[in-house]
Amino acid sequence: MSNQQVQLNIRFKAKPGKKEEFRKELYSLIEEMSSEKAFISAIVSDDLDQPDDLIIYETWQGTRDSWLAEEFTKPYRKDYEVRLDDLIVERSVSWLQPNREWGSHITNAY
């Protein structure tokens, strides 16, 4: 397995009244993906200033290309993606590569 790591910072804006339903779907997805070999960690946060927003910060072993080829194609993700249309208004994804870390040692960038 590659020593490289990739992080995804994903912001979701839930449809009005759908945040808790979306949260359940997201947590279910995380339960599935957390058993993947390349999975390192995931943190879900509420945005204190944007009450309809949830942010997930994921760390994976590998690269953006390996994540897209190996993780995004998992069958359980397809079901999740279909359900998103009813639950969120928008999603924005930032792809990150860790280069230094203090404290947690989740990444190999220290």
Side-chain angles (χ1 to χ4, degrees):
M1 183 175 285
S2 167
N3 194 32
Q4 287 186 281
Q5 293 177 334
V6 66
Q7 295 170 315
L8 290 85
N9 187 19
I10 309 168
R11 175 178 290 270
F12 299 94
K13 180 167 289 302
K15 289 184 176 180
K18 297 285 188 169
K19 184 176 181 180
E20 293 311 313
E21 186 178 350
F22 170 63
R23 185 190 307 275
K24 288 178 186 175
E25 291 292 329
L26 182 61
Y27 287 4
S28 180
L29 173 74
I30 295 167
E31 286 297 321
E32 290 271 355
M33 73 185 198
S34 66
S35 65
E36 299 296 343
K37 185 177 178 182
F39 178 83
I40 297 173
S41 71
I43 299 169
V44 176
S45 300
D46 289 299
D47 186 323
L48 297 176
D49 296 318
Q50 302 294 322
D52 289 331
D53 289 13
L54 280 172
I55 297 94
I56 183 169
Y57 189 78
E58 304 173 30
T59 303
W60 293 83
Q61 198 66 36
T63 64
R64 176 183 6 202
D65 290 342
S66 68
W67 190 93
L68 289 169
E70 298 164 20
E71 302 304 331
F72 191 66
T73 59
K74 301 287 183 180
Y76 60 83
R77 286 189 180 275
K78 290 177 184 159
D79 295 337
Y80 166 81
E81 289 293 325
V82 167
R83 290 190 293 272
L84 285 185
D85 285 343
D86 293 332
L87 302 174
I88 66 168
V89 176
E90 66 182 78
R91 162 177 48 182
S92 62
V93 180
S94 296
W95 292 90
L96 310 168
Q97 184 173 7
N99 63 42
R100 190 75 173 160
E101 177 181 346
W102 293 261
S104 67
H105 300 291
I106 291 171
T107 72
N108 59 9
Y110 45 87

